[in-house]
Amino acid sequence: GQNIDQPTEMTATEGAIVQINCTYQTSGFNGLFWYQQHAGEAPTFLSYNVLDGLEEKGRFSSFLSRSKGYSYLLLKELQMKDSASYLCAPRTGGYQKVTFGTGTKLQVIP
Amino acid sequence: GAVVSQHPSRVICKSGTSVKIECRSLDFQATTMFWYRQFPKQSLMLMATSNEGSKATYEQGVEKDKFLINHASLTLSTLTVTSAHPEDSSFYICSANRLAGVETQYFGPGTRLLVL
């Protein structure tokens, strides 16, 4: 089975930096997605890591360590609109199945 | 812009009726699509993997006779909730893999089902 662990909730200040950690235990690992989900909406793609290391994309960066089963999402220059749930989602298997944990609900405060 | 569409976005139906939800990949072919369900304040739960031209693969605990999946073309998968009951009320979301450098999974906007 799959086991995905993220903090349930985080609070950060507008303009600051926040790091959301994710640890996972899977079999047949192919890569890891990060998605953003606002309440009542479908997830939107943020990043996909296959190899170890840091991928930077604008204000968002994602890091992966396959050997440690660990990833993080780094959000810089936080904006109020970044308040959302952030989902760490490993991809596994021949059908490229993606499994979600409960996500981290981030609240950005003024 | 959107790469995956779903229709309808919202549906209300009476208990015992069947509801069909369509998932389309826009401007790309998807041999595999996925159907998820999400209850309020819970995580997305994978229901099934939809394979073009073959039977869907259902996750454990998902009734295949209750949730019929048809992936008739490379751009369309449908999920039919048969004999819907109030406990089937949920947010149903599909996704498809698109090759853009690496193969990335994109989600449709979701369908909110309310069974009365």
Side-chain angles (χ1 to χ4, degrees):
Chain A
Q2 319 273 4
N3 189 24
I4 303 162
D5 192 28
Q6 295 178 242
T8 306
E9 294 182 346
M10 297 181 73
T11 301
T13 306
E14 191 176 14
I17 299 173
V18 70
Q19 178 173 314
I20 302 174
N21 295 322
C22 171
T23 58
Y24 61 90
Q25 292 175 314
T26 65
S27 55
F29 179 80
N30 289 329
L32 188 138
F33 287 101
W34 281 96
Y35 288 92
Q36 179 191 64
Q37 187 178 26
H38 285 98
E41 298 181 11
T44 55
F45 170 78
L46 291 178
S47 67
Y48 181 52
N49 292 64
V50 177
L51 303 176
D52 286 359
L54 185 69
E55 298 262 352
E56 297 185 74
K57 192 186 292 186
R59 293 192 299 117
F60 293 2
S61 303
S62 56
F63 172 83
L64 176 67
S65 169
R66 294 175 69 121
S67 62
K68 295 181 180 177
Y70 168 69
S71 175
Y72 68 73
L73 180 69
L74 192 70
L75 293 79
K76 304 175 188 174
E77 301 169 18
L78 280 172
Q79 302 175 8
M80 299 299 290
K81 66 177 182 179
D82 295 331
S83 294
S85 287
Y86 291 86
L87 312 176
C88 165
R91 171 187 255 173
T92 60
Y95 281 124
Q96 307 293 318
K97 212 164 68 169
V98 177
T99 305
F100 290 86
T102 53
T104 298
K105 187 174 181 180
L106 173 67
Q107 183 181 14
V108 180
I109 58 176
Chain B
V3 296
V4 178
S5 69
Q6 271 184 253
H7 178 79
S9 58
R10 185 183 296 270
V11 59
I12 301 173
C13 68
K14 292 182 179 179
S15 185
T17 60
S18 294
V19 175
K20 181 187 280 189
I21 302 170
E22 293 186 349
C23 177
R24 293 182 185 273
S25 57
L26 306 177
D27 299 324
F28 71 99
Q29 295 179 334
T31 55
T32 304
M33 292 183 175
F34 303 90
W35 286 98
Y36 293 83
R37 179 170 54 182
Q38 187 175 35
F39 293 107
K41 298 187 179 181
Q42 294 188 22
S43 62
L44 282 84
M45 296 301 299
L46 180 64
M47 299 174 66
T49 303
S50 172
N51 307 298
E52 189 270 334
S54 64
K55 292 182 180 179
T57 305
Y58 290 82
E59 295 300 301
Q60 193 171 9
V62 178
E63 302 173 56
K64 55 184 171 184
D65 295 330
K66 168 81 173 174
F67 299 99
L68 300 179
I69 291 173
N70 185 3
H71 195 148
S73 78
L74 287 170
T75 59
L76 173 64
S77 174
T78 61
L79 169 69
T80 302
V81 183
T82 62
S83 186
H85 289 97
E87 57 266 29
D88 297 324
S89 299
S90 187
F91 191 38
Y92 291 87
I93 315 171
C94 73
S95 68
N97 289 340
R98 181 184 187 189
L99 185 61
V102 293
E103 198 173 52
T104 301
Q105 184 173 221
Y106 290 94
F107 284 86
T111 297
R112 198 163 296 282
L113 171 64
L114 176 61
V115 184
L116 301 176

